[in-house]
Amino acid sequence: SPPPPSPIHPRPAPARGRFQPGTPGNAHKLEAAPLPGEPVIVKSVNSAFIGTDLEARLRAAGIDTLVIVGLTTDHCVSTTTRMAGNLGFATFIVADATATFERTGPDGRQFSAELMHDAALASLHGEFATVVWAESLMSGLNAIPKETAKGQKA
């Protein structure tokens, strides 16, 4: 058995979950693999802004508009989107390029993945971001509304 925890020599908790390093859920999809030399931001909490240099990189590059996609809508995507909006970025979240899983509430009730996804998007839209769909995004940036709920120009 492993030695007991020590306050003098702490060990990190073992990685758990389907998105931890070394698991298939953590690997880049071929369609979204970083280009050679492209920076990869590795995060350790739900928000891509906490504990990373993401905000500094975006500001240094003069980027003021973000388009957010990924997993999971009600956790990492939501937290990152909320922070982006609070930091003053014009933020768009692509509804059909995000997803989540079914959840069990503290009282044992089951909530479908679709309900969790839709509720998370409804909570974000108009306050932290503008929800868009991939088709309108791919049609060109002119198809995206030019103002977010905060009145920022995209």
Side-chain angles (χ1 to χ4, degrees), residues 18 71-75 95 98-104 109-122:
R18 59 185 97 197
L71 294 173
T72 58
T73 316
D74 56 325
H75 286 195
T98 58
T100 194
F101 304 99
E102 67 181 18
R103 306 279 183 207
T104 303
R109 286 186 300 154
Q110 296 293 310
F111 299 92
S112 71
E114 181 180 14
L115 176 65
M116 295 301 302
H117 177 73
D118 291 345
L121 292 175

Side-chain angles (χ1 to χ4, degrees), residues 62-116:
I63 296 170
D64 62 1
T65 302
L66 303 180
V67 175
I68 298 180
V69 302
L71 294 173
T72 58
T73 316
D74 56 325
H75 286 195
C76 299
V77 171
S78 176
T79 305
T80 298
T81 300
R82 289 169 188 272
M83 287 200 67
N86 285 337
L87 290 169
F89 291 96
T91 307
F92 298 89
I93 181 170
V94 185
D96 51 350
T98 58
T100 194
F101 304 99
E102 67 181 18
R103 306 279 183 207
T104 303
D107 61 358
R109 286 186 300 154
Q110 296 293 310
F111 299 92
S112 71
E114 181 180 14
L115 176 65
M116 295 301 302

Side-chain angles (χ1 to χ4, degrees), residues 1-14:
S1 72
S6 165
I8 298 170
H9 302 288
R11 291 183 306 272

Side-chain angles (χ1 to χ4, degrees), residues 33-40:
L35 299 173
E38 186 174 27
V40 174

